[in-house]
Amino acid sequence: MRVMVIEDSRLAREGLVRMLGQFDGVDVIGQADHPATAAPLIAELRPDVLFLDIHMPGASGFDLLEMLDYLPRIVFTTAYSEYAIRSFDYNTVDYLLKPVSHERLATAIAKLAAADAAPAAAPRPPLDINSKIFVKDGERCHLVSLETIRYIESCKNYVRIFFGSEKAYVKKSLNSIEERLPVKFFFRANRQCIINLQEIRAIEESISLGYEVTMSDGKVLDISRRNAQQLKDLLSF
């Protein structure tokens, strides 16, 4: 079990790392004191689990999770109980209140190990561009043709789907939706957005060395620098 610890307090961070080191099968592969330094480490190391503080100077643990393309399982470690309900909008396994005891940490490790031992659900098959998907947005229901979706944006714990003259909120992660979309037609523009390539009307270079694409409804979206070359390759002979 490859874990990272993100905690702004040096003493609390080092104490938790020591405690985790007492458990067989737990390997602490990294640590950070702020979301800004944690995000690139998570992208590089791709840990299985984050032990994550919520209150940190300048940005919260929730802010960090919104930055990530890759989302490990989460064990929150915090002195504040009032965020427990919100925490389970993420890939949360446990919520530990400080000071964290050895017994309570052992319970969290056992939950993680049990999740590892459980048989994985069979992956859902990818959709075809001619597929229709059922979308429930509050009291409204839609049967949406995939080809009519212009783009999908991340919006905190939801995604917002733009199709035809409508838009709908769905409580799913952008990553989980991306896994089922046909790659010939849908492209991950940046951390927050997936676009339908058939709905692009114009492309221009941006000052950030990426691209700006204008969609069929006039919406202008950024293609991140790291994804710009991939888009160019997709749309070139």
Side-chain angles (χ1 to χ4, degrees), residues 202-206 210-213:
I203 303 178
E204 296 181 0
E205 290 185 341
S206 68
Y211 290 117
E212 288 184 347
V213 296

Side-chain angles (χ1 to χ4, degrees), residues 133-145 148-174 177 192 194 217:
I133 58 171
F134 177 77
V135 175
K136 188 174 187 302
D137 180 14
E139 298 300 317
R140 302 182 64 192
C141 297
H142 308 270
L143 191 61
V144 181
S145 295
T148 67
I149 296 175
R150 293 190 299 282
Y151 43 90
I152 306 169
E153 292 182 334
S154 177
C155 187
K156 293 189 179 293
N157 306 322
Y158 293 78
V159 297
R160 184 165 49 184
I161 302 173
F162 293 81
F163 58 97
S165 60
E166 303 277 354
K167 60 184 177 183
Y169 288 87
V170 178
K171 194 170 184 180
K172 285 185 176 291
S173 72
L174 202 59
I177 288 179
Q192 285 76 42
I194 297 170
D217 62 355

Side-chain angles (χ1 to χ4, degrees), residues 18-27 102-103 105-107 109:
R18 283 195 300 271
M19 291 173 70
L20 287 167
Q22 298 171 18
F23 292 89
D24 292 336
V26 176
D27 181 16
H102 185 277
E103 292 74 19
L105 183 58
T107 299
I109 297 296

Side-chain angles (χ1 to χ4, degrees), residues 178 183-184 186-190 195 197 203 209-211 223-236:
E178 182 182 18
V183 296
K184 289 184 179 179
F186 288 89
F187 179 75
R188 185 67 172 261
N190 51 53
I195 61 174
L197 297 174
I203 303 178
L209 302 180
Y211 290 117
I223 306 296
S224 67
R225 180 179 178 180
R226 71 174 182 173
N227 293 348
Q229 184 60 48
Q230 185 183 355
L231 178 66
K232 185 178 179 180
D233 292 343
L234 279 172
L235 298 181
S236 299

Side-chain angles (χ1 to χ4, degrees), residues 83-132:
Y83 297 103
I85 293 176
R86 182 183 175 189
S87 75
F88 285 93
D89 287 335
Y90 299 91
N91 194 15
T92 304
V93 176
D94 211 339
Y95 189 96
L96 306 182
L97 289 175
K98 298 176 184 177
V100 178
S101 68
H102 185 277
E103 292 74 19
R104 189 65 184 85
L105 183 58
T107 299
I109 297 296
K111 288 181 181 180
L112 290 163
D116 284 340
R124 301 177 72 186
L127 296 166
D128 181 83
I129 191 62
N130 298 313
S131 299
K132 291 188 176 182

